[in-house]
Amino acid sequence: MCGGCGKICRSLYDKRWRRAHDLRCGDHEVYLDFELRRVACKACGVKNEKLAFLSSNTKFTLRFAMQIGGLCRAMTIQDVARLMHLDWEAVKELDKIYMREQLRLAGHPKPRVIGVDEISIKKGHSYRIVVSDLVGRRAIWFGGAGRTEADMDLFYAFLASKTAGKSSLR
């Protein structure tokens, strides 16, 4: 399967051996060696084959990324990097993969009751708007350039794009 468009491409471009970091087994680090094929897709050119067990960073498995993300919920990125003997940047990227997977599992927001608040980004009266789903108990939007009505319109535009006009919040 093509990693770009997700379609099945049968045209093999080349293949090479890769190594991916996987979950530990006791005190031993585990690495998976596999052959990664590149396909020549008519729609998007030459792309790596998409393998279900790999994260978007092909040096790590998806379950390893989920473990790192779980650790990042309880520890700082720097502490996780030190514990797992990884680079700080690699841990940050794996945490982003984990967060994207959590968002995918949570689904698109369909709030019935929202709460709007503001947070201060830095000293000097720089604010952003946070919108939360009060029933689902989760933040669903963070953004804007301040706390004006135009910034709230950005939230409604986001919600309309996700729910395709099914919401009657406004």
Side-chain angles (χ1 to χ4, degrees), residues 58-69:
T58 59
K59 294 182 181 181
F60 303 98
T61 62
L62 186 58
R63 62 186 181 180
F64 184 74
M66 295 300 109
Q67 180 189 35
I68 295 295

Side-chain angles (χ1 to χ4, degrees), residues 48-77:
N48 285 337
E49 177 182 38
K50 177 127 175 82
L51 299 174
F53 68 92
L54 284 181
S55 69
S56 58
N57 181 343
T58 59
K59 294 182 181 181
F60 303 98
T61 62
L62 186 58
R63 62 186 181 180
F64 184 74
M66 295 300 109
Q67 180 189 35
I68 295 295
L71 288 172
C72 286
R73 289 183 79 141
M75 303 165 62
T76 66
I77 291 176

Side-chain angles (χ1 to χ4, degrees), residues 6-95:
K7 296 180 182 175
I8 296 177
C9 300
R10 303 193 190 284
S11 177
L12 178 66
Y13 184 77
D14 68 357
K15 53 188 173 180
R16 58 179 78 152
W17 283 95
R18 299 294 300 260
R19 176 170 285 180
H21 198 273
D22 199 15
L23 295 177
R24 290 181 180 198
C25 183
D27 290 342
H28 302 286
E29 298 217 3
V30 176
Y31 294 90
L32 301 177
D33 289 329
F34 59 96
E35 205 170 50
L36 184 66
R37 298 182 294 193
R38 292 195 307 167
V39 294
C41 179
K42 293 177 182 176
C44 52
V46 177
K47 297 286 183 179
N48 285 337
E49 177 182 38
K50 177 127 175 82
L51 299 174
F53 68 92
L54 284 181
S55 69
S56 58
N57 181 343
T58 59
K59 294 182 181 181
F60 303 98
T61 62
L62 186 58
R63 62 186 181 180
F64 184 74
M66 295 300 109
Q67 180 189 35
I68 295 295
L71 288 172
C72 286
R73 289 183 79 141
M75 303 165 62
T76 66
I77 291 176
Q78 190 172 17
D79 290 340
V80 173
R82 194 176 304 121
L83 174 70
M84 301 301 283
H85 308 290
L86 293 171
D87 181 52
W88 184 88
E89 291 288 332
V91 173
K92 185 176 78 166
E93 291 304 315
L94 292 172
D95 190 31

Side-chain angles (χ1 to χ4, degrees), residues 108-111 156-169:
H108 296 303
K110 297 176 186 151
Y156 289 115
F158 159 80
L159 193 63
S161 70
K162 296 294 182 189
T163 59
K166 296 177 186 170
S167 178
S168 60
L169 286 176

